[in-house]
Amino acid sequence: MLTILREHVDAIIAHARRDHPDEACGVITGPVGSDRPERLVPMLNAAMSPTFYEFDSGDLLKLYREMDDNDEEPVVIYHSHTATEAYPSRTDVNLASEPGAHYVLVSTRDGAHESGEVEFRSYRIVDGEVTEEEVRIVDRYTDDSGDAAADPVPETEGEA
Amino acid sequence: MTAATPLPIQSPKPKVKPDMAVEVRIPTILRPHTGGERAVQADGATLSAVIDDLEKNHEGIKERLLENGQLRRFVNVYVNDEDVRFTGGLDTEISDGDTVVILPAVAGGAA
């Protein structure tokens, strides 16, 4: 299951609508091992294509360096499909290279870039195997273990 | 004029064969080849040689990086932060202490 902040869902949908008909892409990073998406990083689609996305290679290096410095990992990797459903294509599956990430797909097809609902779905893609998972949208993170008082949500601070 | 101190003969630097040790950063998806290590040492005077050396200690990694003797389209390799596609690809020269970073492309799409 993916637990994600409503503000991030809204921002991803807005990004996908803005870039339509090209595909939009980005990540949400979080502390290593936390499975908690905290820092949204919209990325440029270097392919600038309605059927393909790719992070710019320089941006990619910068992103991974930042994550290393912050002890973060990519918790969510998102992109949009602009004419097909929000389901991983063969290309998506072949190129998926973060087995620990939630792959979020949104679709702006059928006019959804202007109005109406944008499909928002999440998958695990491991060794070529796609598994859809439930998406739980929350206003803020609480500690599921019930130890909320002892574990306040740390703010993502851009310590550099 | 004869008093001039003779120039000391430059003693040639000891000709130790430079081993060009570099650190190679390994992405998550390739860590099964390195026993989980995030970074490993390798040597070689070019990227190509470094990859051959990696393969010696981490069998199978070369095939994940190369296809038909070329760097795979969706594998990015950086030497000192430069994408090797712009610095000579597999022929990119490596110097002692350089850092090599391997990152799979983050890519996909409906096509």
Side-chain angles (χ1 to χ4, degrees), chain A residues 107-146:
Chain A
S107 176
T108 51
R109 66 175 169 173
D110 298 338
H113 65 291
E114 286 177 330
S115 62
E117 193 165 339
V118 172
E119 261 186 290
F120 188 104
R121 296 163 71 179
S122 182
Y123 309 86
R124 296 291 193 168
I125 307 178
V126 181
D127 293 334
E129 191 110 349
V130 176
T131 312
E132 184 158 13
E133 61 184 357
E134 188 189 332
V135 177
R136 188 166 66 107
I137 300 171
V138 297
D139 289 319
R140 61 188 178 83
Y141 293 129
T142 51
D143 188 349
D144 284 330
S145 70

Side-chain angles (χ1 to χ4, degrees), chain B residues 32-52:
Chain B
H33 294 281
T34 60
E37 291 295 324
R38 302 160 59 97
V40 297
Q41 298 291 317
D43 53 44
T46 62
L47 178 59
S48 188
V50 166
I51 291 174
D52 284 339

Side-chain angles (χ1 to χ4, degrees), chain A residues 2-5 8 12 26-43 55 59-60 62-78 98 100-102 141 153-158:
Chain A
L2 169 65
T3 302
I4 184 172
L5 293 175
H8 288 160
I12 288 171
V27 298
I28 313 177
T29 68
V32 170
S34 69
D35 199 32
R36 186 191 311 230
E38 287 188 354
R39 189 167 67 91
L40 179 77
V41 188
M43 301 291 288
F55 292 5
D59 293 350
L60 180 74
K62 190 166 157 275
L63 172 70
Y64 274 76
R65 181 141 296 157
E66 256 173 37
M67 289 193 293
D68 259 7
D69 290 347
N70 296 339
D71 288 319
E72 293 173 319
E73 61 189 358
V75 180
V76 167
I77 297 174
Y78 73 87
E98 286 291 355
H102 301 268
Y141 293 129
V153 179
E155 288 295 318
T156 319
E157 41 206 340

Side-chain angles (χ1 to χ4, degrees), chain B residues 45-105:
Chain B
T46 62
L47 178 59
S48 188
V50 166
I51 291 174
D52 284 339
D53 190 57
L54 273 180
E55 176 69 17
K56 267 188 242 158
N57 298 312
H58 311 287
E59 205 188 328
I61 203 164
K62 184 174 176 176
E63 207 232 313
R64 304 293 299 274
L65 304 177
L66 306 186
E67 186 175 38
N68 302 323
Q70 296 298 313
L71 211 50
R72 286 182 180 272
R73 162 71 179 84
F74 293 107
V75 173
N76 296 321
V77 180
Y78 308 84
V79 174
N80 298 337
D81 295 358
E82 290 279 350
D83 186 329
V84 299
R85 288 197 177 83
F86 306 115
T87 61
L90 290 171
D91 297 328
T92 300
E93 288 182 14
I94 305 289
S95 304
D96 202 30
D98 282 354
T99 302
V100 177
V101 175
I102 301 170
L103 284 178

Side-chain angles (χ1 to χ4, degrees), chain B residues 4-21:
Chain B
T5 322
L7 278 174
I9 295 164
Q10 286 284 83
S11 59
K13 281 212 168 124
K15 267 279 183 219
V16 184
K17 188 169 166 277
D19 62 355
M20 304 299 178

